[in-house]
Amino acid sequence: MKPITELYLDAEEFRPFFRKINQLKIPIVVHHTALPVDYGHIYDYVNLRRLFGRCIDQMTCVGRIMYCGMLDELPNLKLFTP
């Protein structure tokens, strides 16, 4: 299994958790990191990785969830981000 820092929320490792959340019909809050999984190109720039890195990570995560079929499989799953 990969370290959690190398996974996005659509990873199969998280599916048992999301299946249970879907079954319980409860919303969850997801807070993304300030660094995308592939962060080497911005790591040395603290403000860039905080501002730009978080945007990249949120867009990547949301896009992957939208296109991976997870929402079709888990129709009661409600994810929120602060």
Side-chain angles (χ1 to χ4, degrees), residues 2-3 16 19-20 23 35-36 42 52 60 64 67-70 80:
K2 288 183 178 182
R19 286 185 187 110
K20 186 64 175 179
Q23 178 187 8
L35 290 170
I42 61 171
F52 185 62
T60 302
R64 289 176 62 112
Y67 292 106
C68 76
M70 191 166 88
F80 297 92

mmCIF file with all atom_site columns, all heavy atoms in Angstrom, residues 2-3 16 19-20 23 35-36 42 52 60 64 67-70 80:
data_model
loop_
_atom_site.group_PDB
_atom_site.id
_atom_site.type_symbol
_atom_site.label_atom_id
_atom_site.label_alt_id
_atom_site.label_comp_id
_atom_site.label_asym_id
_atom_site.label_entity_id
_atom_site.label_seq_id
_atom_site.pdbx_PDB_ins_code
_atom_site.Cartn_x
_atom_site.Cartn_y
_atom_site.Cartn_z
_atom_site.occupancy
_atom_site.B_iso_or_equiv
_atom_site.pdbx_formal_charge
_atom_site.auth_seq_id
_atom_site.auth_comp_id
_atom_site.auth_asym_id
_atom_site.auth_atom_id
_atom_site.pdbx_PDB_model_num
ATOM 1   N N   . LYS A 1 2  ? 0.496   2.243  -0.746  1.00 0.00 ? 2  LYS A N   1
ATOM 2   C CA  . LYS A 1 2  ? 1.225   3.506  -0.804  1.00 0.00 ? 2  LYS A CA  1
ATOM 3   C C   . LYS A 1 2  ? 1.010   4.307  0.477   1.00 0.00 ? 2  LYS A C   1
ATOM 4   O O   . LYS A 1 2  ? -0.028  4.176  1.128   1.00 0.00 ? 2  LYS A O   1
ATOM 5   C CB  . LYS A 1 2  ? 0.712   4.360  -1.973  1.00 0.00 ? 2  LYS A CB  1
ATOM 6   C CG  . LYS A 1 2  ? 1.093   3.866  -3.315  1.00 0.00 ? 2  LYS A CG  1
ATOM 7   C CD  . LYS A 1 2  ? 0.585   4.846  -4.361  1.00 0.00 ? 2  LYS A CD  1
ATOM 8   C CE  . LYS A 1 2  ? 0.980   4.414  -5.745  1.00 0.00 ? 2  LYS A CE  1
ATOM 9   N NZ  . LYS A 1 2  ? 0.534   5.377  -6.752  1.00 0.00 ? 2  LYS A NZ  1
ATOM 10  N N   . PRO A 1 3  ? 1.969   5.180  0.822   1.00 0.00 ? 3  PRO A N   1
ATOM 11  C CA  . PRO A 1 3  ? 1.740   6.089  1.961   1.00 0.00 ? 3  PRO A CA  1
ATOM 12  C C   . PRO A 1 3  ? 0.544   7.000  1.664   1.00 0.00 ? 3  PRO A C   1
ATOM 13  O O   . PRO A 1 3  ? 0.276   7.331  0.507   1.00 0.00 ? 3  PRO A O   1
ATOM 14  C CB  . PRO A 1 3  ? 3.036   6.900  2.040   1.00 0.00 ? 3  PRO A CB  1
ATOM 15  C CG  . PRO A 1 3  ? 4.025   6.195  1.205   1.00 0.00 ? 3  PRO A CG  1
ATOM 16  C CD  . PRO A 1 3  ? 3.275   5.365  0.222   1.00 0.00 ? 3  PRO A CD  1
ATOM 17  N N   . PRO A 1 16 ? -13.530 1.306  1.509   1.00 0.00 ? 16 PRO A N   1
ATOM 18  C CA  . PRO A 1 16 ? -14.306 0.773  2.644   1.00 0.00 ? 16 PRO A CA  1
ATOM 19  C C   . PRO A 1 16 ? -14.834 1.884  3.560   1.00 0.00 ? 16 PRO A C   1
ATOM 20  O O   . PRO A 1 16 ? -15.986 1.834  4.003   1.00 0.00 ? 16 PRO A O   1
ATOM 21  C CB  . PRO A 1 16 ? -13.308 -0.124 3.377   1.00 0.00 ? 16 PRO A CB  1
ATOM 22  C CG  . PRO A 1 16 ? -12.321 -0.525 2.332   1.00 0.00 ? 16 PRO A CG  1
ATOM 23  C CD  . PRO A 1 16 ? -12.213 0.685  1.417   1.00 0.00 ? 16 PRO A CD  1
ATOM 24  N N   . ARG A 1 19 ? -17.662 3.662  1.684   1.00 0.00 ? 19 ARG A N   1
ATOM 25  C CA  . ARG A 1 19 ? -18.852 2.802  1.622   1.00 0.00 ? 19 ARG A CA  1
ATOM 26  C C   . ARG A 1 19 ? -19.641 2.891  2.929   1.00 0.00 ? 19 ARG A C   1
ATOM 27  O O   . ARG A 1 19 ? -20.870 2.944  2.916   1.00 0.00 ? 19 ARG A O   1
ATOM 28  C CB  . ARG A 1 19 ? -18.455 1.360  1.322   1.00 0.00 ? 19 ARG A CB  1
ATOM 29  C CG  . ARG A 1 19 ? -18.052 1.153  -0.110  1.00 0.00 ? 19 ARG A CG  1
ATOM 30  C CD  . ARG A 1 19 ? -17.786 -0.321 -0.430  1.00 0.00 ? 19 ARG A CD  1
ATOM 31  N NE  . ARG A 1 19 ? -17.256 -0.411 -1.775  1.00 0.00 ? 19 ARG A NE  1
ATOM 32  C CZ  . ARG A 1 19 ? -16.000 -0.745 -2.070  1.00 0.00 ? 19 ARG A CZ  1
ATOM 33  N NH1 . ARG A 1 19 ? -15.138 -1.043 -1.112  1.00 0.00 ? 19 ARG A NH1 1
ATOM 34  N NH2 . ARG A 1 19 ? -15.600 -0.789 -3.321  1.00 0.00 ? 19 ARG A NH2 1
ATOM 35  N N   . LYS A 1 20 ? -18.924 2.903  4.048   1.00 0.00 ? 20 LYS A N   1
ATOM 36  C CA  . LYS A 1 20 ? -19.591 3.013  5.349   1.00 0.00 ? 20 LYS A CA  1
ATOM 37  C C   . LYS A 1 20 ? -20.251 4.386  5.509   1.00 0.00 ? 20 LYS A C   1
ATOM 38  O O   . LYS A 1 20 ? -21.386 4.492  5.968   1.00 0.00 ? 20 LYS A O   1
ATOM 39  C CB  . LYS A 1 20 ? -18.577 2.779  6.485   1.00 0.00 ? 20 LYS A CB  1
ATOM 40  C CG  . LYS A 1 20 ? -19.212 2.723  7.845   1.00 0.00 ? 20 LYS A CG  1
ATOM 41  C CD  . LYS A 1 20 ? -20.153 1.542  7.956   1.00 0.00 ? 20 LYS A CD  1
ATOM 42  C CE  . LYS A 1 20 ? -20.710 1.405  9.348   1.00 0.00 ? 20 LYS A CE  1
ATOM 43  N NZ  . LYS A 1 20 ? -21.632 0.278  9.468   1.00 0.00 ? 20 LYS A NZ  1
ATOM 44  N N   . GLN A 1 23 ? -23.343 4.397  3.469   1.00 0.00 ? 23 GLN A N   1
ATOM 45  C CA  . GLN A 1 23 ? -24.387 3.607  4.130   1.00 0.00 ? 23 GLN A CA  1
ATOM 46  C C   . GLN A 1 23 ? -25.046 4.397  5.259   1.00 0.00 ? 23 GLN A C   1
ATOM 47  O O   . GLN A 1 23 ? -26.261 4.349  5.432   1.00 0.00 ? 23 GLN A O   1
ATOM 48  C CB  . GLN A 1 23 ? -23.770 2.321  4.675   1.00 0.00 ? 23 GLN A CB  1
ATOM 49  C CG  . GLN A 1 23 ? -24.722 1.435  5.427   1.00 0.00 ? 23 GLN A CG  1
ATOM 50  C CD  . GLN A 1 23 ? -24.003 0.260  6.082   1.00 0.00 ? 23 GLN A CD  1
ATOM 51  O OE1 . GLN A 1 23 ? -22.776 0.182  6.103   1.00 0.00 ? 23 GLN A OE1 1
ATOM 52  N NE2 . GLN A 1 23 ? -24.775 -0.647 6.632   1.00 0.00 ? 23 GLN A NE2 1
ATOM 53  N N   . LEU A 1 35 ? -0.092  20.785 -0.373  1.00 0.00 ? 35 LEU A N   1
ATOM 54  C CA  . LEU A 1 35 ? 0.767   20.249 -1.425  1.00 0.00 ? 35 LEU A CA  1
ATOM 55  C C   . LEU A 1 35 ? 0.036   19.177 -2.213  1.00 0.00 ? 35 LEU A C   1
ATOM 56  O O   . LEU A 1 35 ? -0.541  18.265 -1.626  1.00 0.00 ? 35 LEU A O   1
ATOM 57  C CB  . LEU A 1 35 ? 2.022   19.608 -0.820  1.00 0.00 ? 35 LEU A CB  1
ATOM 58  C CG  . LEU A 1 35 ? 3.026   20.546 -0.196  1.00 0.00 ? 35 LEU A CG  1
ATOM 59  C CD1 . LEU A 1 35 ? 4.070   19.745 0.561   1.00 0.00 ? 35 LEU A CD1 1
ATOM 60  C CD2 . LEU A 1 35 ? 3.685   21.399 -1.256  1.00 0.00 ? 35 LEU A CD2 1
ATOM 61  N N   . PRO A 1 36 ? 0.079   19.249 -3.530  1.00 0.00 ? 36 PRO A N   1
ATOM 62  C CA  . PRO A 1 36 ? -0.461  18.141 -4.323  1.00 0.00 ? 36 PRO A CA  1
ATOM 63  C C   . PRO A 1 36 ? 0.448   16.920 -4.185  1.00 0.00 ? 36 PRO A C   1
ATOM 64  O O   . PRO A 1 36 ? 1.580   17.027 -3.715  1.00 0.00 ? 36 PRO A O   1
ATOM 65  C CB  . PRO A 1 36 ? -0.458  18.689 -5.750  1.00 0.00 ? 36 PRO A CB  1
ATOM 66  C CG  . PRO A 1 36 ? 0.441   19.857 -5.735  1.00 0.00 ? 36 PRO A CG  1
ATOM 67  C CD  . PRO A 1 36 ? 0.562   20.340 -4.329  1.00 0.00 ? 36 PRO A CD  1
ATOM 68  N N   . ILE A 1 42 ? 7.192   22.733 -6.699  1.00 0.00 ? 42 ILE A N   1
ATOM 69  C CA  . ILE A 1 42 ? 6.856   23.954 -5.952  1.00 0.00 ? 42 ILE A CA  1
ATOM 70  C C   . ILE A 1 42 ? 7.243   23.873 -4.477  1.00 0.00 ? 42 ILE A C   1
ATOM 71  O O   . ILE A 1 42 ? 7.012   24.815 -3.733  1.00 0.00 ? 42 ILE A O   1
ATOM 72  C CB  . ILE A 1 42 ? 5.353   24.305 -6.070  1.00 0.00 ? 42 ILE A CB  1
ATOM 73  C CG1 . ILE A 1 42 ? 4.481   23.194 -5.498  1.00 0.00 ? 42 ILE A CG1 1
ATOM 74  C CG2 . ILE A 1 42 ? 4.971   24.646 -7.493  1.00 0.00 ? 42 ILE A CG2 1
ATOM 75  C CD1 . ILE A 1 42 ? 3.010   23.549 -5.391  1.00 0.00 ? 42 ILE A CD1 1
ATOM 76  N N   . PHE A 1 52 ? -1.045  28.165 -4.314  1.00 0.00 ? 52 PHE A N   1
ATOM 77  C CA  . PHE A 1 52 ? -1.212  27.504 -5.606  1.00 0.00 ? 52 PHE A CA  1
ATOM 78  C C   . PHE A 1 52 ? -1.321  25.994 -5.433  1.00 0.00 ? 52 PHE A C   1
ATOM 79  O O   . PHE A 1 52 ? -2.147  25.342 -6.067  1.00 0.00 ? 52 PHE A O   1
ATOM 80  C CB  . PHE A 1 52 ? -0.039  27.871 -6.510  1.00 0.00 ? 52 PHE A CB  1
ATOM 81  C CG  . PHE A 1 52 ? -0.153  27.345 -7.904  1.00 0.00 ? 52 PHE A CG  1
ATOM 82  C CD1 . PHE A 1 52 ? -1.192  27.729 -8.729  1.00 0.00 ? 52 PHE A CD1 1
ATOM 83  C CD2 . PHE A 1 52 ? 0.799   26.466 -8.398  1.00 0.00 ? 52 PHE A CD2 1
ATOM 84  C CE1 . PHE A 1 52 ? -1.291  27.257 -10.020 1.00 0.00 ? 52 PHE A CE1 1
ATOM 85  C CE2 . PHE A 1 52 ? 0.709   25.982 -9.693  1.00 0.00 ? 52 PHE A CE2 1
ATOM 86  C CZ  . PHE A 1 52 ? -0.344  26.384 -10.498 1.00 0.00 ? 52 PHE A CZ  1
ATOM 87  N N   . THR A 1 60 ? -7.563  18.733 -8.538  1.00 0.00 ? 60 THR A N   1
ATOM 88  C CA  . THR A 1 60 ? -7.222  17.364 -8.915  1.00 0.00 ? 60 THR A CA  1
ATOM 89  C C   . THR A 1 60 ? -8.100  16.364 -8.176  1.00 0.00 ? 60 THR A C   1
ATOM 90  O O   . THR A 1 60 ? -8.653  15.436 -8.772  1.00 0.00 ? 60 THR A O   1
ATOM 91  C CB  . THR A 1 60 ? -5.734  17.079 -8.623  1.00 0.00 ? 60 THR A CB  1
ATOM 92  O OG1 . THR A 1 60 ? -4.933  18.013 -9.345  1.00 0.00 ? 60 THR A OG1 1
ATOM 93  C CG2 . THR A 1 60 ? -5.352  15.668 -9.020  1.00 0.00 ? 60 THR A CG2 1
ATOM 94  N N   . ARG A 1 64 ? -10.864 13.970 -9.976  1.00 0.00 ? 64 ARG A N   1
ATOM 95  C CA  . ARG A 1 64 ? -10.711 12.515 -9.903  1.00 0.00 ? 64 ARG A CA  1
ATOM 96  C C   . ARG A 1 64 ? -11.974 11.877 -9.329  1.00 0.00 ? 64 ARG A C   1
ATOM 97  O O   . ARG A 1 64 ? -12.434 10.843 -9.817  1.00 0.00 ? 64 ARG A O   1
ATOM 98  C CB  . ARG A 1 64 ? -9.493  12.155 -9.066  1.00 0.00 ? 64 ARG A CB  1
ATOM 99  C CG  . ARG A 1 64 ? -8.181  12.470 -9.759  1.00 0.00 ? 64 ARG A CG  1
ATOM 100 C CD  . ARG A 1 64 ? -7.005  12.195 -8.859  1.00 0.00 ? 64 ARG A CD  1
ATOM 101 N NE  . ARG A 1 64 ? -6.948  10.796 -8.501  1.00 0.00 ? 64 ARG A NE  1
ATOM 102 C CZ  . ARG A 1 64 ? -6.004  9.946  -8.903  1.00 0.00 ? 64 ARG A CZ  1
ATOM 103 N NH1 . ARG A 1 64 ? -5.022  10.366 -9.674  1.00 0.00 ? 64 ARG A NH1 1
ATOM 104 N NH2 . ARG A 1 64 ? -6.021  8.688  -8.524  1.00 0.00 ? 64 ARG A NH2 1
ATOM 105 N N   . TYR A 1 67 ? -14.817 11.891 -11.998 1.00 0.00 ? 67 TYR A N   1
ATOM 106 C CA  . TYR A 1 67 ? -14.654 11.049 -13.180 1.00 0.00 ? 67 TYR A CA  1
ATOM 107 C C   . TYR A 1 67 ? -14.327 9.586  -12.896 1.00 0.00 ? 67 TYR A C   1
ATOM 108 O O   . TYR A 1 67 ? -14.273 8.788  -13.823 1.00 0.00 ? 67 TYR A O   1
ATOM 109 C CB  . TYR A 1 67 ? -13.590 11.648 -14.105 1.00 0.00 ? 67 TYR A CB  1
ATOM 110 C CG  . TYR A 1 67 ? -14.050 12.940 -14.724 1.00 0.00 ? 67 TYR A CG  1
ATOM 111 C CD1 . TYR A 1 67 ? -13.545 14.155 -14.282 1.00 0.00 ? 67 TYR A CD1 1
ATOM 112 C CD2 . TYR A 1 67 ? -15.008 12.944 -15.723 1.00 0.00 ? 67 TYR A CD2 1
ATOM 113 C CE1 . TYR A 1 67 ? -13.981 15.348 -14.838 1.00 0.00 ? 67 TYR A CE1 1
ATOM 114 C CE2 . TYR A 1 67 ? -15.449 14.128 -16.277 1.00 0.00 ? 67 TYR A CE2 1
ATOM 115 C CZ  . TYR A 1 67 ? -14.931 15.327 -15.831 1.00 0.00 ? 67 TYR A CZ  1
ATOM 116 O OH  . TYR A 1 67 ? -15.366 16.504 -16.379 1.00 0.00 ? 67 TYR A OH  1
ATOM 117 N N   . CYS A 1 68 ? -14.147 9.206  -11.643 1.00 0.00 ? 68 CYS A N   1
ATOM 118 C CA  . CYS A 1 68 ? -13.757 7.821  -11.348 1.00 0.00 ? 68 CYS A CA  1
ATOM 119 C C   . CYS A 1 68 ? -14.943 6.879  -11.167 1.00 0.00 ? 68 CYS A C   1
ATOM 120 O O   . CYS A 1 68 ? -14.768 5.681  -11.073 1.00 0.00 ? 68 CYS A O   1
ATOM 121 C CB  . CYS A 1 68 ? -12.862 7.776  -10.109 1.00 0.00 ? 68 CYS A CB  1
ATOM 122 S SG  . CYS A 1 68 ? -13.738 7.993  -8.551  1.00 0.00 ? 68 CYS A SG  1
ATOM 123 N N   . GLY A 1 69 ? -16.154 7.402  -11.082 1.00 0.00 ? 69 GLY A N   1
ATOM 124 C CA  . GLY A 1 69 ? -17.332 6.562  -10.889 1.00 0.00 ? 69 GLY A CA  1
ATOM 125 C C   . GLY A 1 69 ? -17.716 6.359  -9.433  1.00 0.00 ? 69 GLY A C   1
ATOM 126 O O   . GLY A 1 69 ? -18.697 5.691  -9.131  1.00 0.00 ? 69 GLY A O   1
ATOM 127 N N   . MET A 1 70 ? -16.951 6.938  -8.519  1.00 0.00 ? 70 MET A N   1
ATOM 128 C CA  . MET A 1 70 ? -17.222 6.771  -7.097  1.00 0.00 ? 70 MET A CA  1
ATOM 129 C C   . MET A 1 70 ? -18.589 7.334  -6.711  1.00 0.00 ? 70 MET A C   1
ATOM 130 O O   . MET A 1 70 ? -19.298 6.742  -5.888  1.00 0.00 ? 70 MET A O   1
ATOM 131 C CB  . MET A 1 70 ? -16.120 7.447  -6.282  1.00 0.00 ? 70 MET A CB  1
ATOM 132 C CG  . MET A 1 70 ? -16.155 7.128  -4.813  1.00 0.00 ? 70 MET A CG  1
ATOM 133 S SD  . MET A 1 70 ? -14.633 7.596  -3.954  1.00 0.00 ? 70 MET A SD  1
ATOM 134 C CE  . MET A 1 70 ? -14.981 9.272  -3.508  1.00 0.00 ? 70 MET A CE  1
ATOM 135 N N   . PHE A 1 80 ? -17.677 17.724 1.679   1.00 0.00 ? 80 PHE A N   1
ATOM 136 C CA  . PHE A 1 80 ? -17.596 19.173 1.781   1.00 0.00 ? 80 PHE A CA  1
ATOM 137 C C   . PHE A 1 80 ? -16.163 19.561 2.054   1.00 0.00 ? 80 PHE A C   1
ATOM 138 O O   . PHE A 1 80 ? -15.417 18.831 2.690   1.00 0.00 ? 80 PHE A O   1
ATOM 139 C CB  . PHE A 1 80 ? -18.487 19.688 2.929   1.00 0.00 ? 80 PHE A CB  1
ATOM 140 C CG  . PHE A 1 80 ? -19.938 19.418 2.722   1.00 0.00 ? 80 PHE A CG  1
ATOM 141 C CD1 . PHE A 1 80 ? -20.511 18.254 3.219   1.00 0.00 ? 80 PHE A CD1 1
ATOM 142 C CD2 . PHE A 1 80 ? -20.730 20.309 2.018   1.00 0.00 ? 80 PHE A CD2 1
ATOM 143 C CE1 . PHE A 1 80 ? -21.850 17.998 3.028   1.00 0.00 ? 80 PHE A CE1 1
ATOM 144 C CE2 . PHE A 1 80 ? -22.076 20.055 1.826   1.00 0.00 ? 80 PHE A CE2 1
ATOM 145 C CZ  . PHE A 1 80 ? -22.639 18.892 2.328   1.00 0.00 ? 80 PHE A CZ  1
#
